[in-house]
Amino acid sequence: SIVASGTLTQSNSKANAAIFNVNNLKPGDVVNGDVLITNTGSLGAVMSLTEGTVASTFVNAANLQLVVSDGTNTVYSGNFGAMGTKSLGTFAAGASKTYRFTVTFAQSADNTEQGKTASATYTWNGAQTSNVTITQGAGTPAAATNANP
């Protein structure tokens, strides 16, 4: 008999780096940053994105808006710093997606927002897909099987 476990790993094109780092924004400015997430493991993964360690000195949170999308779907749209955790669906082994982070500084922001800063950290989470039971009949050679949706 042969039994081998699979792996659950991922890569991030901006690992340990900011998705963007911009100074001197003025009302109406828009900043875009892209990050490529790849399931580098041998198993499918249920992925999610968590926004954490948020710091902001903006007077009105609504003056700084964040949109996260994968080109087809909007993962989050709302105030910067209020995203929490969002589901990204299942990534098959070897699959990858590019996510775009867009921050907009409201055109209507007044002088109370001068010199303000905001930052957040983002964690990409991967969890195994549902467990499966594999039954092999007599004479069937042992093989690695992965039943991912």
Side-chain angles (χ1 to χ4, degrees), residues 92-147:
S96 60
K97 282 188 183 180
T98 297
Y99 289 89
R100 171 158 284 181
F101 286 65
T102 301
V103 171
T104 303
F105 187 19
Q107 181 69 48
S108 61
D110 61 24
N111 288 340
T112 63
E113 300 294 16
Q114 292 185 54
K116 303 303 181 192
T117 61
S119 64
T121 59
Y122 296 91
T123 303
W124 304 88
N125 311 295
Q128 73 181 30
T129 56
S130 299
N131 297 331
V132 297
T133 299
I134 300 166
T135 304
Q136 295 180 334
T140 303
T145 306
N146 183 10

Side-chain angles (χ1 to χ4, degrees), residues 2-3 5 8 14 31 36 53-54 60 76 94 98 109 115 129 143-144 146:
I2 299 173
V3 177
S5 62
L8 190 60
K14 300 273 182 145
V31 180
L36 177 68
T53 315
V54 175
N60 181 350
Y76 174 76
T98 297
T129 56
N146 183 10

